Amino acid sequence: MKDLISAMNEEKAYVTDRLNNISTSLAERLAPYGYANLTEYFTDKRKYLFNAWIPEVYPIDVRTITTDLEDAIRNERYGIYISHSDGLYAFHGSDDIDYDLCEELGICVAELYYTGGTIIGSNEDLGIEIVAPRSVGLTSEVILNKFHEIISQYVASATIDGNDILVNGEKVMGSMSRDVGGVFVWAAQVSFNDYTNVISQVCSKPAVKKPSYIDSTLLSKSALESEVVAWLQKQ
């Protein structure tokens, strides 16, 4: 019979022994607790830690999102952060962007330090950032699969392509992730508006994937946000 809590405590003792140069076998030590198979143990452990993690939801201002997220990471203030802005914003990664034109157009540029192109959005779109302990087992793949599952209930022809979600072959959601020590950070923006013209103006590099948006009469921003939050909070 499995005893996961005792197995997790035994794993902590195993790590301490290894740090003290005591040679020992984790598999042998976990076997009395029903876990001779380490893959099965780590799968159960991740599920347990994820289900035990109930993140709070916080608003985050796009104007200060860079410093606020870094502060959350540094202080391990885990949670779900929902972006807010008074106007258009640009999540900027590694591709070139016309800062002067953004300022002229009133676009707030937020540096998110990811590899990839610029994402344009506004309050009508869902900008979401997740800051979580690495131990809960969240990955970009897990989160993307959940977004895809939700979106597919309302919108036909949704597919995952790399870190993006496409509808009818056009990009409606872009995401990025990074690990900072023991902290997992994931950010995404789901479009509910057409920003093709703005993107063509401020981005010098042509979009690899044609930008598009989700029809809010099929799936609204608030409905998508509610379902994602409910999943993460285990409601």
Side-chain angles (χ1 to χ4, degrees):
M1 185 176 181
K2 293 180 183 178
D3 183 349
L4 180 59
I5 302 301
S6 295
M8 289 169 62
N9 289 331
E10 189 63 34
E11 183 196 2
K12 291 178 183 177
Y14 163 81
V15 171
T16 299
D17 286 346
R18 290 301 303 267
L19 290 173
N20 292 323
N21 296 315
I22 299 174
S23 180
T24 181
S25 166
L26 180 59
E28 291 179 0
R29 293 176 65 156
L30 296 189
Y33 306 105
Y35 285 106
N37 185 312
L38 291 183
T39 299
E40 184 179 5
Y41 165 68
F42 285 112
T43 297
D44 286 357
K45 177 185 173 183
R46 281 193 296 270
K47 288 180 180 178
Y48 172 81
L49 292 174
F50 174 70
N51 288 329
W53 183 61
I54 310 297
E56 294 290 331
V57 179
Y58 305 99
I60 189 166
D61 193 321
V62 168
R63 293 171 298 181
T64 57
I65 192 172
T66 303
T67 53
D68 288 350
L69 275 182
E70 292 306 310
D71 181 65
I73 293 167
R74 184 170 54 253
N75 294 296
E76 298 182 349
R77 191 169 62 249
Y78 303 125
I80 307 163
Y81 293 82
I82 304 297
S83 303
H84 293 275
S85 173
D86 291 334
L88 288 177
Y89 61 79
F91 285 161
H92 180 231
S94 58
D95 288 357
D96 291 336
I97 187 173
D98 190 329
Y99 287 99
D100 291 335
L101 183 57
C102 283
E103 183 176 1
E104 182 182 328
L105 296 174
I107 300 173
C108 175
V109 179
E111 305 290 349
L112 291 189
Y113 306 114
Y114 61 91
T115 300
T118 300
I119 299 172
I120 301 294
S122 73
N123 258 359
E124 296 179 22
D125 307 295
L126 177 59
I128 181 170
E129 297 76 42
I130 299 170
V131 180
R134 168 51 67 188
S135 60
V136 303
L138 274 180
T139 64
S140 182
E141 180 182 10
V142 168
I143 302 172
L144 274 172
N145 283 339
K146 188 61 183 181
F147 267 84
H148 177 256
E149 176 188 318
I150 296 170
I151 292 172
S152 294
Q153 294 175 16
Y154 302 90
V155 182
S157 303
T159 58
I160 297 174
D161 187 332
N163 292 321
D164 306 323
I165 290 183
L166 313 181
V167 170
N168 295 319
E170 298 178 352
K171 181 177 174 179
V172 300
M173 172 178 162
S175 72
M176 56 76 68
S177 65
R178 59 189 176 112
D179 289 292
V180 186
V183 181
F184 172 72
V185 184
W186 185 88
Q189 194 261 355
V190 185
S191 296
F192 290 89
N193 285 283
D194 184 3
Y195 299 109
T196 306
N197 184 49
V198 178
I199 293 171
S200 65
Q201 290 183 71
V202 302
C203 301
S204 58
K205 185 177 179 181
V208 176
K209 302 169 188 175
K210 183 179 178 182
S212 188
Y213 59 95
I214 292 176
D215 183 346
S216 59
T217 63
L218 301 176
L219 172 63
S220 68
K221 168 193 171 181
S222 60
L224 177 58
E225 178 184 330
S226 295
E227 292 207 34
V228 171
V229 169
W231 167 62
L232 288 168
Q233 293 186 332
K234 325 306 182 296
Q235 295 177 9

